[in-house]
Amino acid sequence: MKDRQLFENLDTSFVKLDALVRHLCRLSFVGTISLTFDDYHGEIILTPAGKLRVTEDDSGTEAVLRGQKAFEHIMLRAGEPGGKINVV
């Protein structure tokens, strides 16, 4: 099965990522939400069981986080301008 891009290159200046995640969870969406900056990548996977699997990779600090801490950091970064959000 080929992945289908639902939203591509949404700018963090205009999108509230927390609201997008809540909305997709309410729809029982299964897929991936990614947040990218030049030296940063955060990924939220919404599973068929309705769980979130979250990973954050910050090449600027060389930190890789998973779970709740990663989710909190992704939400903070999503409030900064200049990032891109993709939903697959």
Side-chain angles (χ1 to χ4, degrees):
M1 180 172 84
K2 186 173 175 129
D3 289 337
R4 195 176 103 202
Q5 190 86 20
L6 295 180
F7 301 107
E8 185 175 11
N9 294 322
L10 300 175
D11 195 297
T12 55
S13 297
F14 302 103
V15 176
K16 291 186 176 185
L17 184 59
D18 57 341
L20 178 60
V21 171
R22 281 194 307 275
H23 174 71
L24 292 174
C25 284
R26 279 194 301 272
L27 295 175
S28 299
F29 174 79
V30 175
T32 303
I33 303 167
S34 63
L35 171 67
T36 56
F37 287 86
D38 288 338
D39 61 349
Y40 178 88
H41 181 78
E43 187 171 83
I44 302 168
I45 299 172
L46 289 82
T47 70
K51 304 288 182 192
L52 301 180
R53 287 191 327 208
V54 185
T55 305
E56 175 194 51
D57 183 3
D58 188 340
S59 11
T61 62
E62 298 182 10
V64 176
L65 295 175
R66 289 182 175 71
Q68 183 63 33
K69 202 64 151 167
F71 186 79
E72 292 168 7
H73 285 193
I74 289 171
M75 290 302 134
L76 286 173
R77 286 298 300 259
E80 298 175 10
K84 297 296 179 195
I85 298 170
N86 293 295
V87 180
V88 178

